Amino acid sequence: MVSKRIALIFFISLSFLIQAGSTFAQIHPCLYAKNEDRTAILAKIKNEEWAKKAWENLQEKINPYVDRHQSDPEWITSRLAMYWKDGERYTQCYIKKQNWDYGEGNAPVPTVRLPGMRTWNSYINVPLEDRLAYSENGDMLAIDRASDDKTPVLVPYKKTGHMVRANNGEILKLAENAAFAYWITQEDKYAKFSADIFWTWLLGTYYMNPPLDPQQSTNGPGGYKPGGIMGFYDYEQIHDDRQINAAIIYDFLYDFLNEHPAEHLKSIKKDVTEVAGVVFKRFIDLGLIRGGKRGNWNVNGFKNIIPSILVLESNDFYKDQKGKEHYIPYYTKITTDYHEALPGFIKNFDDVTGLWPESPGYASGMIGAIVKMGMPLYKSGVNTIGDNSLLQKAAMANLGWLDARGNLVVVGDMRGGPTDLAVFDNMLTYYTWEGDTENAKKMATVIRKGIASGQYNRNEIDWKGICLYEALPDSGDELPFHRAAYSEHHRHIIMKNGNSEENGLMFTLYGGSKGGHLSPNGLAMQFYGDGYALNPDASAYESYWSKDAAYHREITGSNTIMPGYTKGEITINAMDPSVDASNSFYNTAETSATCSFADISAAEKRRLVAMVRTSETSGYYVDIFRSNQADNDYLQHILGDAVSLADNSGNLLKLGAVDSISHPYHRAYSFFKNPVKVNFDKDFQGTWTINKVRPSLKTTMWMMGQENREIYVVDAPPSTLRSDITPGMVNRSPQTTPTLIVRQSNNNAQEHPFVAVFESYNEGEKSVKEISKLLNSDKFVALSVSSKDGSSQIICNAIDNELYEPASGLTFQGILGIASENRDGFQYLYLGKGKSLTKGKYSIEAVDGAISAELKLMDGKLYYSSDGPVKISVPKEKTKVYPAGYQICID
């Protein structure tokens, strides 16, 4: 508590100084550590294994370059992307159509090269050792990651995409690490390496004016005038992040830079504080009048300039009286025409769910950015976390979007992969500083879970983690497990049964949206096996400007039905476990440990996805997709490096090559290659095999037959660019994805729906033995699914309120009904938002309105669950009415 009182006095004092505009001495370093922290950080490196390993990793990365620099100081600086050639050391660049057009002027030193284009492509830099030195024309050696041929190619400057930014960022990052190493070790070799890179960049930036955009292709004129999206050294202000590396280097090397100024500073009679102030304030001033006031642009814009702000001197040091105290309030409280301050944009987080209103990848990044900005601000006496209770809720909410492996679900514009668990380490540090042990333990639980799942490794943290992170307090390592999550804004449902990588079941079902980096997905679904999405939303485009973005960012990359609905409101017809979206992101009760489902509608489409667990290690998914139009294509992009189709007897279907898919329903059908086709209107089975893992991982799909069917298998574009979200990196770029298109023509798919059952399993461990249709009418479907263990389920689905009898002794009225038996007989009845379900002498019936309910036999006793009053009949007992409740024994 003493530390909290001291901190409070410090915050009040600084607040007074900021309001008064008084002079205060800027002491370096100040961003992530102060000189008085050095002893404690050294002790942390010595005593904490993770800090020691992280420090050793940092040294391993930089020492070869630092050591080479002692005898060959030009090697590293020559690899910076600069306007090296005398006479072409441009001081003014011009932009045309959001790309570099030409430059003017000639500075006394080389100036920093502007990226050749706003757009990017599949070219990536060769290793640093292989890069061109002093490239005067800006051409760069690259590898095309979209090609199987990894031979380096020479790429002209104007086609280098993001290579310039990546190159300079990599070198400045080495300098940043070396600056920290100097502060820790006090060895001049680290300072010399870092300073030489810093001087080259700083002076090369000092002589450069912001780019001009005469045609305003970036929605502004450029230069120093407001408006548009362009930054000082990038076409997008949110990518103007080289200043972050530079501010950190300046902070750690401040004394060394003053003691060893660049020769050029002497000739212009300026010191490093003055020149650095000019450069950092350009980034800040432009950052505050460019970019975007809404969404992630606003937050990412601040992320870039906060370090630049915090390393400035006080107001009185500058002629314009704009120093550190002047700029901080533009983040903490002052909203302008160009940027919304923290109190405003924090309201973007939903009060109920804690979610940011963009796709999961962007949402995860926003909470991370805000918390991480909060750490150096706290060091400067400004607490931006303590008064914002939504931040912890937002951090925890991102966990609801994770699958069993800790990867974010892929929806909208994002790549997937792990959420940024470093945010929890930063929150742990904050709560430790504040003396809040309860919340510190919550954060430690998340961190331990991330470490246990292999998604987080404290040994691999950077120097910021060495400075900031604390020893983990005692805590658990298991996060709260939720069966269902629903975000109304994202139109997105997640359902889970178990949360282990090996045996967990999970599916997502969602509608489409446009804006906020969400996509027109249609009414799409993904299901999981072995901890992976086995039919992931495709997300392998290089950039928004890539030709294949029209495939990946549109409905064609999703598992849905075309044509028709792509985006717009959805209606949840039924969902169990249910989520009260007005009060929570998660379910608060569950009807069945075995069954769960969601049934949603959008425009002419209606889709029910059910998840049925048959044992601790097995289960399957049921997909019943209706579309109220005569002609439909059902798309499934399933992972695999081999696919086969067969009839119900196991005879392979003979698909013949065709030139193309006739009458494509979307322009992006042009990305489907090598189509093969068969006309087939009976039940059939597909098997996708991933041979890149051992044992091989298989997915089978059974589909009920309908009239007027054509079945296509095509090579679709890759599913991902990442190496960690598909088993064995299968279907990663440049590999294709084997995709099924089931075309149904002149046969209304509301009355004759697409009905499929999916199962995933390791080679030799298939559980489902047989699937068959029991009944299919205009508004009703019934299936029988039997497994090798002797269990079987009859699954019923209706879109009306009629009473159906699909099998002898079985009646059903509702949306979903499942009657399950095993070798010993009755196992359970599950009713998903219905009136009644009867099998033999067992029945459950709603007393008033529709209910979700289950009656199950477990260890010789009967239990029921119901979200409303329920009438239950069992053998040798009178029918009784029971109140709503969960897992109640009725024996």
Side-chain angles (χ1 to χ4, degrees):
M1 294 303 293
V2 173
S3 66
K4 289 184 71 173
R5 287 197 295 271
I6 293 172
L8 180 59
I9 292 169
F10 185 48
F11 297 148
I12 292 171
S13 300
L14 183 77
S15 177
F16 175 77
L17 288 174
I18 289 174
Q19 292 173 11
S22 301
T23 301
F24 65 93
Q26 175 67 293
I27 300 173
H28 297 279
C30 62
L31 284 173
Y32 292 92
K34 300 182 178 181
N35 282 325
E36 58 263 33
D37 298 328
R38 184 169 171 271
T39 300
I41 293 171
L42 284 168
K44 191 189 300 185
I45 291 171
K46 179 180 178 181
N47 299 323
E48 295 287 342
E49 186 61 30
W50 54 269
K52 178 182 178 182
K53 185 62 178 175
W55 168 242
E56 290 172 350
N57 288 341
L58 183 147
Q59 288 181 299
E60 288 175 8
K61 290 177 183 177
I62 64 173
N63 279 347
Y65 299 108
V66 171
D67 292 341
R68 176 187 288 170
H69 193 73
Q70 308 315 301
S71 59
D72 188 3
E74 291 188 18
W75 189 92
I76 190 69
T77 56
S78 69
R79 279 157 174 75
L80 282 165
M82 310 281 290
Y83 297 111
W84 289 108
K85 188 176 182 180
D86 192 9
E88 296 178 4
R89 296 170 175 173
Y90 302 127
T91 58
Q92 182 66 67
C93 287
Y94 290 83
I95 306 305
K96 185 177 182 180
K97 296 181 179 179
Q98 300 191 357
N99 292 325
W100 189 85
D101 190 18
Y102 65 96
E104 291 180 340
N106 188 47
V109 296
T111 50
V112 180
R113 187 174 289 274
L114 197 73
M117 52 198 297
R118 180 192 179 196
T119 58
W120 68 94
N121 46 46
S122 58
Y123 291 127
I124 59 174
N125 287 304
V126 295
L128 190 54
E129 286 71 16
D130 299 330
R131 289 179 208 167
L132 301 176
Y134 295 118
S135 177
E136 292 188 344
N137 61 4
D139 294 353
M140 304 179 76
L141 283 175
I143 295 170
D144 186 351
R145 67 175 178 178
S147 171
D148 289 323
D149 185 356
K150 301 305 180 186
T151 304
V153 295
L154 188 65
V155 181
Y157 168 43
K158 285 192 174 185
K159 294 184 179 180
T160 52
H162 285 190
M163 292 171 62
V164 168
R165 185 201 305 136
N167 176 80
N168 289 352
E170 183 179 349
I171 295 172
L172 283 166
K173 184 66 178 179
L174 289 171
E176 174 192 311
N177 287 336
F180 171 72
Y182 166 71
W183 183 72
I184 286 289
T185 66
Q186 298 295 293
E187 293 184 35
D188 281 357
K189 69 174 185 177
Y190 292 113
K192 183 68 167 63
F193 173 81
S194 182
D196 285 353
I197 295 170
F198 177 76
W199 287 128
T200 307
W201 179 89
L202 181 72
L203 293 171
T205 306
Y206 178 74
Y207 282 102
M208 179 72 86
N209 290 308
L212 291 171
D213 187 1
Q215 298 176 353
Q216 300 196 24
S217 63
T218 57
N219 297 320
Y224 292 99
K225 294 182 180 179
I229 64 172
M230 194 158 53
F232 184 13
Y233 254 98
D234 199 272
Y235 302 92
E236 298 181 13
Q237 183 252 356
I238 58 170
H239 288 156
D240 227 346
D241 51 7
R242 297 291 71 86
Q243 60 181 303
I244 298 175
N245 309 110
I248 292 166
I249 298 166
Y250 175 74
D251 194 36
F252 279 125
L253 292 190
Y254 183 79
D255 291 340
F256 183 90
L257 294 171
N258 277 281
E259 293 166 5
H260 304 84
E263 286 298 318
H264 187 73
L265 286 187
K266 298 175 184 177
S267 67
I268 62 176
K269 298 180 180 179
K270 295 182 184 293
D271 63 21
V272 64
T273 309
E274 183 179 358
V275 172
V278 169
V279 170
F280 289 133
K281 287 178 67 173
R282 283 182 193 162
F283 278 106
I284 297 164
D285 289 336
L286 284 170
L288 290 173
I289 59 171
R290 300 276 174 80
K293 191 174 181 177
R294 298 288 180 263
N296 73 85
W297 275 76
N298 190 59
V299 177
N300 283 323
F302 278 119
K303 179 188 70 175
N304 291 335
I305 64 175
I306 286 294
S308 295
I309 290 172
L310 296 182
V311 296
L312 292 180
E313 304 301 309
S314 69
N315 291 346
D316 291 345
F317 179 85
Y318 304 101
K319 290 181 180 179
D320 62 3
Q321 295 291 297
K322 294 179 180 180
K324 182 175 181 177
E325 315 96 285
H326 169 80
Y327 287 113
I328 288 175
Y330 282 93
Y331 178 70
T332 59
K333 63 182 180 180
I334 301 174
T335 288
T336 70
D337 291 340
Y338 303 100
H339 283 280
E340 188 171 43
L342 178 65
F345 70 69
I346 204 76
K347 296 176 183 178
N348 284 315
F349 291 101
D350 187 90
D351 286 337
V352 173
T353 65
L355 297 175
W356 182 267
E358 296 186 271
S359 67
Y362 282 90
S364 176
M366 290 308 93
I367 182 61
I370 294 167
V371 170
K372 289 174 183 177
M373 281 189 282
M375 309 313 285
L377 281 161
Y378 190 104
K379 283 283 187 181
S380 289
V382 183
N383 189 344
T384 57
I385 299 176
D387 293 332
N388 292 300
S389 58
L390 258 179
L391 289 183
Q392 179 182 320
K393 187 171 192 174
M396 300 299 285
N398 283 321
L399 301 177
W401 264 330
L402 300 182
D403 59 31
R405 290 185 178 272
N407 286 319
L408 288 162
V409 292
V410 177
V411 180
D413 290 343
M414 59 174 297
R415 304 293 186 207
T419 191
D420 183 8
L421 290 173
V423 66
F424 298 98
D425 243 327
N426 282 280
M427 293 287 280
L428 168 64
T429 297
Y430 170 76
Y431 289 128
T432 303
W433 287 345
E434 290 285 286
D436 186 343
T437 56
E438 181 180 350
N439 277 316
K441 286 182 178 180
K442 289 181 181 178
M443 300 302 108
T445 296
V446 178
I447 294 164
R448 282 196 166 94
K449 175 62 176 177
I451 292 171
S453 66
Q455 293 287 11
Y456 189 55
N457 187 347
R458 265 190 159 197
N459 295 345
E460 296 176 356
I461 60 174
D462 63 10
W463 64 265
K464 293 176 188 174
I466 297 174
C467 287
L468 296 176
Y469 296 170
E470 302 283 345
L472 291 177
D474 291 338
S475 72
D477 60 2
E478 288 298 324
L479 300 178
F481 170 56
H482 302 284
R483 289 282 303 276
Y486 171 54
S487 170
E488 186 173 20
H489 173 82
H490 296 89
R491 300 169 184 156
H492 188 269
I493 295 168
I494 295 175
M495 289 208 168
K496 296 183 179 181
N497 191 306
N499 201 37
S500 71
E501 296 176 10
E502 296 81 8
N503 301 315
L505 301 175
M506 172 175 159
F507 74 83
T508 69
L509 179 59
Y510 46 98
S513 188
K514 188 75 171 178
H517 290 278
L518 296 167
S519 301
N521 299 106
L523 209 52
M525 64 91 78
Q526 299 175 52
F527 61 85
Y528 282 70
D530 204 38
Y532 294 100
L534 294 179
N535 58 342
D537 231 27
S539 186
Y541 56 98
E542 286 286 347
S543 78
Y544 302 148
W545 299 274
S546 301
K547 291 181 180 180
D548 61 351
Y551 167 82
H552 292 280
R553 301 180 69 219
E554 287 284 344
I555 189 172
T556 41
S558 301
N559 304 303
T560 186
I561 283 180
M562 298 179 62
Y565 169 82
T566 60
K567 63 184 186 296
E569 295 297 324
I570 66 170
T571 299
I572 297 181
N573 306 307
M575 178 178 170
D576 186 43
S578 62
V579 174
D580 181 359
S582 64
N583 291 304
S584 179
F585 182 29
Y586 303 111
N587 66 296
T588 55
E590 59 181 60
T591 306
S592 171
T594 305
C595 305
S596 50
F597 80 105
D599 178 9
I600 64 177
S601 296
E604 80 288 343
K605 303 277 193 288
R606 181 168 181 173
R607 189 169 205 172
L608 178 144
V609 178
M611 185 162 55
V612 182
R613 181 170 286 283
T614 53
S615 75
E616 292 184 357
T617 61
S618 61
Y620 57 85
Y621 306 90
V622 180
D623 181 24
I624 301 175
F625 204 160
R626 292 178 167 87
S627 177
N628 190 16
Q629 50 192 11
D631 302 319
N632 298 278
D633 280 0
Y634 174 96
L635 276 67
Q636 278 290 344
H637 312 69
I638 298 180
L639 300 179
D641 43 29
V643 60
S644 62
L645 302 182
D647 63 21
N648 250 6
S649 300
N651 301 309
L652 292 177
L653 300 183
K654 297 180 181 179
L655 284 77
V658 293
D659 292 335
S660 62
I661 300 173
S662 60
H663 310 299
Y665 289 128
H666 193 282
R667 59 192 174 91
Y669 271 45
S670 61
F671 290 95
F672 294 137
K673 304 299 182 183
N674 305 316
V676 291
K677 170 189 167 184
V678 64
N679 295 332
F680 196 76
D681 57 10
K682 304 290 192 300
D683 301 352
F684 72 94
Q685 300 177 53
T687 301
W688 286 257
T689 303
I690 301 175
N691 291 303
K692 294 180 180 292
V693 294
R694 286 289 179 267
S696 61
L697 183 62
K698 291 179 175 290
T699 300
T700 58
M701 183 198 81
W702 174 91
M703 177 167 275
M704 186 174 75
Q706 297 285 11
E707 293 181 354
N708 302 334
R709 284 263 180 92
E710 299 171 296
I711 303 172
Y712 292 89
V713 174
V714 299
D715 291 335
S719 291
T720 184
L721 293 177
R722 295 184 62 97
S723 62
D724 54 357
I725 64 171
T726 62
M729 296 187 288
V730 70
N731 309 125
R732 179 193 184 201
S733 180
Q735 304 169 52
T736 58
T737 303
T739 295
L740 179 75
I741 302 174
V742 181
R743 172 163 290 187
Q744 189 165 303
S745 304
N746 195 27
N747 187 11
N748 187 283
Q750 176 171 281
E751 300 171 356
H752 305 282
F754 295 87
V755 180
V757 177
F758 300 91
E759 182 190 19
S760 70
Y761 52 92
N762 289 323
E763 177 74 35
E765 297 180 7
K766 182 172 173 56
S767 176
V768 173
K769 181 176 68 174
E770 185 177 359
I771 304 170
S772 60
K773 174 182 70 178
L774 295 179
L775 184 64
N776 177 28
S777 63
D778 290 355
K779 295 180 173 60
F780 178 75
V781 171
L783 306 175
S784 173
V785 181
S786 61
S787 298
K788 290 180 178 179
D789 65 359
S791 66
S792 63
Q793 294 80 41
I794 294 176
I795 298 167
C796 304
N797 167 240
I799 57 172
D800 60 13
N801 200 33
E802 297 299 312
L803 182 69
Y804 291 93
E805 186 176 2
S808 176
L810 188 146
T811 61
F812 164 74
Q813 185 178 13
I815 290 180
L816 178 66
I818 302 177
S820 183
E821 295 180 336
N822 56 24
R823 289 190 175 97
D824 296 324
F826 176 81
Q827 193 173 21
Y828 64 81
L829 295 178
Y830 173 76
L831 180 62
K833 197 173 183 181
K835 294 290 186 65
S836 66
L837 178 62
T838 299
K839 181 68 167 67
K841 295 182 180 181
Y842 296 88
S843 72
I844 48 180
E845 182 179 352
V847 174
D848 182 25
I851 60 172
S852 289
E854 182 184 59
L855 177 67
K856 66 179 178 181
L857 183 64
M858 187 170 63
D859 298 328
K861 295 182 178 181
L862 286 167
Y863 295 81
Y864 85 91
S865 296
S866 180
D867 61 6
V870 59
K871 186 186 297 183
I872 297 176
S873 297
V874 299
K876 301 179 182 180
E877 296 289 341
K878 291 183 178 180
T879 300
K880 293 182 182 180
V881 174
Y882 296 87
Y886 295 91
Q887 305 305 315
I888 299 172
C889 181
I890 63 174
D891 279 9

